[in-house]
Amino acid sequence: MKNRTKKLVSYLLCMAMLSGMMCFASTNAGAVPAEVQGNTLAEVIGMDPEVYMDWLYSHEDDNYYLGTPYKSGDHRNPNGDCEGANGSLDYYGVASMNCTGFVWHVLSTATDMSGGNSSMIPAMSGWVSFYNNNNISRKYFSTKEEMLSSGYLEKGDLIWMFEGSEYALSNYNHIGIYWGDGSSDVLWHSSSQGYVDGNRINSNVISTIIPAAPKAELYVVLKVGVPQEEKIDYDFNLDGVVSVSDVTILQEYIANLISKDDSSYNMSVTDVNNDGVTDIADVTYIQNVIAGTA
């Protein structure tokens, strides 16, 4: 009887341990890491990051991508390359892109120009497996505000916005290319959500970061591996020197003629004298810096 009791107790203890282990595994299966440090996307696909950025810069002011009509599904035909049918739902001569189609076209073009392997690049599906299997460096955020204030973002990074889990299929998952200065709210993407200058978005645009879901629950920043130029304090026009031109730009910023989100300028720090406000005192401070009296 004692032996049977011992066996029963041992069995129950074993089951309790197994149950606890299974609960633990189940809990962690749905968890996401705060950050993964691994390979850059450029390294994985053999893309030269400078070619990638040069390609984007060459089209940020024309209609090669911008203005291409948005269409859901596997559409990868920008205005500037719609003679063929890049996506499975595309028609020859018809321009249309969804969000993944835009990112795919940019990456594929830059990778082909670099002599890399563009066949690895996911289109409409397979992104989560792609960045997991290739150990691509990335960081997870629960809100846009947290992401923008993290210091992790760099111009050219990819941002995935998930309605829920990154593993859950949803028509409201969205991807774009970060086009700000690290803290500014700027995204280059193909979308049908939100407004620009009062007009409903339904095309490829450079706008604020707008998820497709009413409320994105997860933001994943994928590191492309773009080399970042070191910014010089008070060099607002990014020409490599602090001069009278920067004084003028700060004055225009104070007069609301330049936005903090304008990626043409480095307006990340405008309160140069650290008094809590950006005003004429900051203009005077920079003038003193230029004169060597600050």
Side-chain angles (χ1 to χ4, degrees), residues 29-251:
V32 294
E35 182 176 356
V36 173
Q37 296 181 350
N39 308 305
T40 66
L41 188 148
E43 290 171 336
V44 169
I45 60 179
M47 179 183 72
D48 185 334
E50 291 188 4
V51 170
Y52 166 73
M53 291 301 289
D54 287 346
W55 176 252
L56 285 168
Y57 278 125
S58 71
H59 294 300
E60 67 175 338
D61 294 315
D62 63 25
N63 66 351
Y64 188 98
Y65 291 114
L66 293 172
T68 300
Y70 174 85
K71 195 168 185 180
S72 61
D74 184 23
H75 293 278
R76 310 180 224 169
N77 273 13
N79 290 328
D81 180 23
C82 61
E83 295 83 4
N86 295 309
S88 62
L89 299 178
D90 283 323
Y91 292 95
Y92 290 87
V94 179
S96 60
M97 292 189 299
N98 73 336
C99 63
T100 52
F102 165 58
V103 172
W104 174 89
H105 193 281
V106 171
L107 292 175
S108 294
T109 301
T111 301
D112 287 341
M113 292 168 67
S114 305
N117 184 7
S118 61
S119 66
M120 295 181 64
I121 302 167
M124 193 169 173
S125 62
W127 271 95
V128 176
S129 296
F130 171 71
Y131 62 66
N132 276 323
N133 293 341
N134 291 287
N135 195 34
I136 291 178
S137 295
R138 58 195 183 275
K139 195 165 186 176
Y140 295 78
F141 302 93
S142 57
T143 66
K144 181 171 78 170
E145 292 71 25
E146 178 190 6
M147 177 178 65
L148 290 174
S149 63
S150 68
Y152 188 76
L153 276 169
E154 295 173 314
K155 194 170 191 174
D157 285 344
L158 304 186
I159 302 177
W160 262 108
M161 291 151 274
F162 293 100
E163 183 182 24
S165 165
E166 62 184 330
Y167 295 100
L169 295 176
S170 171
N171 290 330
Y172 291 104
N173 294 338
H174 188 55
I175 188 174
I177 299 173
Y178 180 65
W179 206 239
D181 63 6
S183 60
S184 54
D185 186 0
V186 187
L187 188 72
W188 194 344
H189 59 145
S190 286
S191 179
S192 61
Q193 303 295 321
Y195 293 83
V196 172
D197 297 328
N199 298 312
R200 179 80 181 188
I201 296 174
N202 198 33
S203 64
N204 184 266
V205 295
I206 297 175
S207 71
T208 56
I209 300 171
I210 306 170
K215 184 181 185 302
E217 295 184 2
L218 183 66
Y219 293 78
V220 182
V221 177
L222 304 180
K223 303 307 290 185
V224 172
V226 176
Q228 303 296 314
E229 295 182 5
E230 186 175 349
K231 294 177 180 177
I232 300 172
D233 290 342
Y234 324 134
D235 176 24
F236 300 121
N237 64 357
L238 299 171
D239 66 353
V241 294
V242 180
S243 65
V244 174
S245 296
D246 298 297
V247 173
T248 302
I249 289 170
L250 183 58
Q251 290 172 325

